[in-house]
Amino acid sequence: MNCINEQMYGYGSSRSVIRDQYEYGRKRRAEIGDDNLFDFSLGNPSVPTPSALRDCVMSLLDETDSLTLHGYTSAQGDFNTRKAVADNLNARFDAGLGPDDIYMTCGAAAALSITFRALNDSNDEIIIFAPYFPEYKVFISSAGAVPVSVPFVEKDFQIDLDAFRATLSPETHAVVINSPNTPCGVIYKESTLLELCAILREKSAEYGHPIYIVSDEPYREIVYNGEAVPFIMNLYPDTIMCYSYSKCLSVPGERIGYVAVSPRASDASRVYAAVCGAGRALGYVCAPSLFQKIIERLPGVMPDIEVYRRNRDLLYGSLSEIGYECVHPDGAFYLFIKSLEPDAVKFSLRARDFDILLVPAGSFGAPGYARIAYCTDYDRIRRSIPAFKALFESYR
Ligand code: PLP
């Protein structure tokens, strides 16, 4: 008798292509030494955690009694932490949020899983835009909803609004926006987002129910052009924001983030209650207490993005000069390049011959492209350029 869930078995027994490259890298590193491997597979931040964070950990350990520091908080997060998060968003974006609109989570992964679970009634459709973070499909499907993807505009990697309009249906409950984007580093223009919101308003009225935007924003703070990333809640009230401190504070292993439900959303208090219910149902209650207290004290600490900017400039400039077709990244820490052959998996395997580890982008909804995570040290990028050149020349 089969006593396991086949869907879960499928997720657990098939390794993501990113993890596959990572595991290959682990073995190869043991053979040739870390310095000789150009591993660009994982989006693990390379900027040291801010010193203010270390100081904060030390003073919390010194000053706070251990049972309080390490004890349970409220299921949705400590009130003072939620208030600090809401106050910070209000000061920066005039968001009108209160503590009871915030739900603290174990990073964006939990925030997204909770949100999809909260919004799905039964087999509802949730739209994602290619290129997308591959785990969206896992989070959406396991919430019982159906992920439906919309292709990108190859010219500038903005959203294909005509294709988007054609994809909407009465079954659509939500649309996921990720800007700055994994895997291509593009920031969606405000004009694109305004048009998208206008379409959503029109379709919500036509279908007689709200269509929510789920705004996945782990890279909000990592932008290079000095322009603010549009704050979607201010463009469209039916917005639920999923945020993570993983990338901006370089703490992906600590698992801390939040869901923020716009107070201006239709049924905002019911949506927030459903978020709390989904957190309860999934067992995602009480995000790590120590890190909640850190966030309460340091809600506005920003990363030093100059390190990533230098890496981006070196990699984008050098690869473009060699002849690679690269998407210009305005944010996040990924460079998206066109594969040198139609099958990007074969291209990534050929890159291994030059000890370069890339991620083929089929699982991101962009076959024919590959992702390079440049959150690594500058010197490694500099030393990788001859290998990229040799890879390019191997196709001549
Ligand atoms: N969303 C996107 C677009 C990501 O790139 C990632 C991680 O790389 C996540 C969500 C998950 O982030 P977290 O570490 O906060 O769970």
Side-chain angles (χ1 to χ4, degrees), residues 107-109 112 133 136 178 182 216 218-219 244 246-247 255:
L112 290 160
F133 180 52
Y136 290 157
N178 170 222
T182 306
D216 179 25
Y219 301 95
S244 168
S246 293
K247 314 289 174 170
R255 315 308 299 134

Side-chain angles (χ1 to χ4, degrees), residues 290-309:
L290 173 63
F291 265 77
Q292 286 196 51
K293 291 182 175 56
I294 292 170
I295 298 307
E296 177 193 332
R297 292 189 176 197
L298 301 176
V301 174
M302 292 287 165
D304 172 9
I305 60 159
E306 287 314 306
V307 174
Y308 297 133
R309 187 199 302 278

Side-chain angles (χ1 to χ4, degrees), residues 44-48 250 307-308 311 333 374-377:
N44 218 356
S46 58
V47 170
S250 299
V307 174
Y308 297 133
N311 288 358
F333 37 54
Y374 57 80
C375 40
T376 182
D377 55 300

Side-chain angles (χ1 to χ4, degrees), residues 26-315:
R26 223 169 37 83
K27 289 198 198 106
R28 186 70 181 141
R29 202 169 275 115
E31 289 162 14
I32 63 168
D34 179 53
D35 278 357
N36 298 314
L37 186 71
F38 308 121
D39 185 351
F40 298 108
S41 57
L42 265 193
N44 218 356
S46 58
V47 170
T49 50
S51 57
L53 193 144
R54 187 184 175 282
D55 296 346
C56 185
V57 173
M58 300 314 279
S59 66
L60 277 168
L61 288 172
D62 284 345
E63 292 162 19
T64 318
D65 112 78
S66 65
L67 295 181
T68 308
L69 190 59
H70 302 298
Y72 284 123
T73 66
S74 305
Q76 68 269 46
D78 184 77
F79 178 85
N80 292 332
T81 305
R82 289 183 285 120
K83 181 168 182 330
V85 168
D87 289 350
N88 178 261
L89 290 172
N90 295 341
R92 290 162 69 198
F93 307 111
D94 195 17
L97 287 155
D100 290 343
D101 301 314
I102 308 291
Y103 187 101
M104 300 305 296
T105 63
C106 289
L112 290 160
S113 299
I114 285 174
T115 303
F116 297 144
R117 187 77 177 253
L119 293 180
N120 177 50
D121 196 11
S122 160
N123 290 321
D124 301 315
E125 291 176 359
I126 297 185
I127 291 181
I128 54 179
F129 295 102
Y132 44 74
F133 180 52
E135 295 303 280
Y136 290 157
K137 286 193 164 174
V138 177
F139 301 156
I140 292 170
S141 303
S142 56
V146 180
V148 183
S149 72
V150 172
F152 53 91
V153 181
E154 194 146 19
K155 177 172 64 78
D156 57 4
F157 279 75
Q158 294 288 315
I159 292 168
D160 183 338
L161 290 165
D162 291 334
F164 170 58
R165 181 183 274 281
T167 307
L168 284 158
S169 85
E171 272 63 63
T172 310
H173 272 210
V175 171
V176 184
I177 307 268
N178 170 222
S179 175
N181 177 268
T182 306
C184 71
V186 160
I187 297 174
Y188 294 139
K189 290 187 242 158
E190 183 159 286
S191 56
T192 306
L193 294 173
L194 284 171
E195 258 190 84
L196 178 136
C197 294
I199 296 171
L200 284 178
R201 280 195 188 89
E202 178 196 320
K203 291 291 177 183
S204 298
E206 184 183 326
Y207 302 148
H209 63 75
I211 304 173
Y212 293 94
I213 290 183
V214 177
S215 183
D216 179 25
E217 308 197 3
Y219 301 95
R220 162 167 287 282
E221 271 65 59
I222 303 177
V223 295
Y224 306 112
N225 56 5
E227 281 170 40
V229 177
F231 190 68
I232 296 187
M233 253 182 219
N234 289 348
L235 305 182
Y236 185 77
D238 285 328
T239 294
I240 301 165
M241 173 182 177
C242 294
Y243 187 80
S244 168
Y245 294 93
S246 293
K247 314 289 174 170
C248 74
L249 294 183
S250 299
V251 291
E254 301 298 353
R255 315 308 299 134
I256 190 78
Y258 59 81
V259 177
V261 177
S262 170
R264 294 184 278 265
S266 321
D267 297 331
S269 59
R270 279 172 53 79
V271 174
Y272 184 74
V275 164
C276 294
R280 181 180 173 195
L282 289 163
Y284 293 172
V285 289
C286 180
S289 166
L290 173 63
F291 265 77
Q292 286 196 51
K293 291 182 175 56
I294 292 170
I295 298 307
E296 177 193 332
R297 292 189 176 197
L298 301 176
V301 174
M302 292 287 165
D304 172 9
I305 60 159
E306 287 314 306
V307 174
Y308 297 133
R309 187 199 302 278
R310 266 182 92 214
N311 288 358
R312 176 199 70 160
D313 291 348
L314 174 63
L315 197 63

